[in-house]
Every structure is written in structure tokens, then in C-alpha cells.
Amino acid sequence: MADADLDVVIRQLARQLHTGLMTRAKERRDRFNGLAAKAQGKETGDRFKMMAKATMEQATAAAKRLQMSADNVADSYARSMRIAASTPVAAKPEKKAKEKPVKKAAKAKKAKAKKAK
């Protein structure tokens, strides 16, 4: 996994989250259906059945959004890596050696030497 592309890793993690989310949603749905079967009145049983159905609808929608977001992120990452790999790197021009600033004392010596000639 250390050598894997990160877009593949992103997709794998999204699949794991999707599986976990749907497993929990099914457990919750089964719990509500069990409560509906044990309910004393028809209205209570129908309410639990409706809650079980709503739980699955909401979990399915959340799982789809999660998967879509992960796919978008993985695609974006892969695209940016392809662009970065295909872009040529500009070579930095070599910097010229900077001339050292002439000190005032050196300037004064040069001026005296010119006057002496």
C-alpha cells in the first residue's frame, strides 16, 4: 500500500466507509422492523416500519454522496498528478557572482593615487 497511488487509496477508504455505513443502516433498519413486529398497536407498528424505510433511504443517499465525493477527490488528485508530471520544470539560470561593493577607504586610496600621478 506504500507504493499505491493515493487516488486508489482514497477509493478504497471510501468503499470501506460505504460498507460500514450500509451495515450500520441495515442493523438499525432490522431493529426498527423488530420493534414493529413487537408493537402492540397498528399505528405504532406502521410508525416503526416507516422509520426503518426512512433510515435506509437516508443511509443510501448519504452513501451515494460519500462515494461521489471520494470519486471527485480521487479524480482531482489523479488529474493534478498527471499535470504535474507532464509540466516541464524550468531550469533556474545561474546567478552571476555579485561584485563586492568597494569600500570608502579603497575609493579614497584610488582617488589619492590618481591625484599623485
Side-chain angles (χ1 to χ4, degrees), residues 1-12 74 77-78 81-82:
M1 193 158 159
D3 294 327
D5 291 332
L6 287 180
D7 60 323
V8 175
V9 174
I10 292 168
R11 292 177 202 279
Q12 288 175 346
Y77 175 79
M81 287 298 107
R82 277 194 309 272

XYZ file of all heavy atoms in Angstrom, residues 1-12 74 77-78 81-82:
133
model
N 0.828 -1.191 0.000
C 0.000 0.000 0.000
C 0.870 1.251 0.000
O 0.419 2.309 -0.400
C -0.918 -0.007 1.219
C -2.015 0.998 1.154
S -3.317 0.478 2.237
C -4.126 2.019 2.482
N 2.116 1.124 0.395
C 3.003 2.283 0.416
C 3.302 2.760 -1.001
O 3.485 3.943 -1.230
C 4.292 1.935 1.128
N 3.348 1.837 -1.957
C 3.646 2.206 -3.334
C 2.386 2.542 -4.129
O 2.481 2.919 -5.295
C 4.385 1.065 -4.032
C 5.759 0.849 -3.432
O 6.388 1.826 -2.991
O 6.200 -0.309 -3.419
N 1.213 2.384 -3.542
C -0.043 2.621 -4.260
C -0.240 4.105 -4.505
O 0.195 4.952 -3.729
C -1.214 2.072 -3.457
N -0.904 4.411 -5.622
C -1.266 5.804 -5.888
C -2.318 6.226 -4.875
O -3.169 5.435 -4.465
C -1.832 5.942 -7.300
C -0.763 5.720 -8.355
O 0.412 5.986 -8.057
O -1.113 5.294 -9.471
N -2.263 7.475 -4.507
C -3.193 7.952 -3.474
C -4.640 7.960 -3.951
O -5.551 7.802 -3.145
C -2.783 9.342 -2.999
C -1.543 9.382 -2.124
C -1.235 10.805 -1.705
C -1.701 8.527 -0.902
N -4.875 8.117 -5.252
C -6.264 8.082 -5.714
C -6.866 6.690 -5.503
O -8.045 6.568 -5.161
C -6.374 8.527 -7.180
C -5.578 7.666 -8.131
O -4.477 7.217 -7.771
O -6.049 7.438 -9.255
N -6.066 5.656 -5.640
C -6.547 4.291 -5.379
C -6.847 4.124 -3.887
O -7.857 3.531 -3.507
C -5.510 3.254 -5.855
C -5.928 1.847 -5.480
C -5.302 3.372 -7.351
N -5.982 4.671 -3.056
C -6.182 4.587 -1.608
C -7.449 5.327 -1.204
O -8.232 4.837 -0.372
C -4.951 5.158 -0.863
C -5.196 5.223 0.631
C -3.721 4.318 -1.154
N -7.684 6.493 -1.799
C -8.896 7.262 -1.500
C -10.132 6.457 -1.840
O -11.092 6.385 -1.070
C -8.884 8.604 -2.262
C -7.784 9.507 -1.719
C -10.247 9.295 -2.175
C -7.495 10.716 -2.586
N -10.124 5.812 -2.998
C -11.282 4.997 -3.412
C -11.483 3.799 -2.477
O -12.615 3.446 -2.138
C -11.115 4.528 -4.845
C -11.199 5.660 -5.855
C -10.961 5.148 -7.264
N -10.533 6.184 -8.156
C -11.326 7.057 -8.758
N -12.619 7.012 -8.550
N -10.851 7.969 -9.580
N -10.389 3.175 -2.031
C -10.508 2.036 -1.112
C -11.104 2.469 0.217
O -11.973 1.784 0.776
C -9.144 1.394 -0.887
C -8.629 0.615 -2.065
C -7.218 0.101 -1.843
O -6.528 0.527 -0.931
N -6.775 -0.808 -2.706
N -10.554 11.719 -5.706
C -9.573 10.823 -6.320
C -9.279 11.245 -7.761
O -8.112 11.258 -8.183
C -10.073 9.382 -6.274
N -7.182 14.441 -7.704
C -5.804 14.158 -7.329
C -5.049 13.536 -8.503
O -3.921 13.949 -8.823
C -5.748 13.226 -6.120
C -4.343 12.809 -5.784
C -3.495 13.664 -5.096
C -3.850 11.580 -6.195
C -2.193 13.301 -4.811
C -2.551 11.207 -5.916
C -1.735 12.070 -5.227
O -0.451 11.710 -4.960
N -5.661 12.544 -9.148
C -5.003 11.878 -10.270
C -4.732 12.867 -11.404
O -3.647 12.861 -12.003
C -5.858 10.717 -10.763
N -1.820 15.164 -10.514
C -0.537 14.469 -10.591
C -0.116 14.279 -12.051
O 1.076 14.392 -12.374
C -0.609 13.106 -9.894
C -0.645 13.206 -8.382
S 0.838 13.964 -7.701
C 0.233 15.547 -7.212
N -1.070 13.997 -12.941
C -0.737 13.877 -14.363
C -0.234 15.208 -14.915
O 0.743 15.259 -15.666
C -1.960 13.424 -15.170
C -2.189 11.941 -15.173
C -3.173 11.531 -16.244
N -4.415 12.285 -16.217
C -5.495 11.984 -15.505
N -5.480 10.908 -14.740
N -6.574 12.723 -15.547
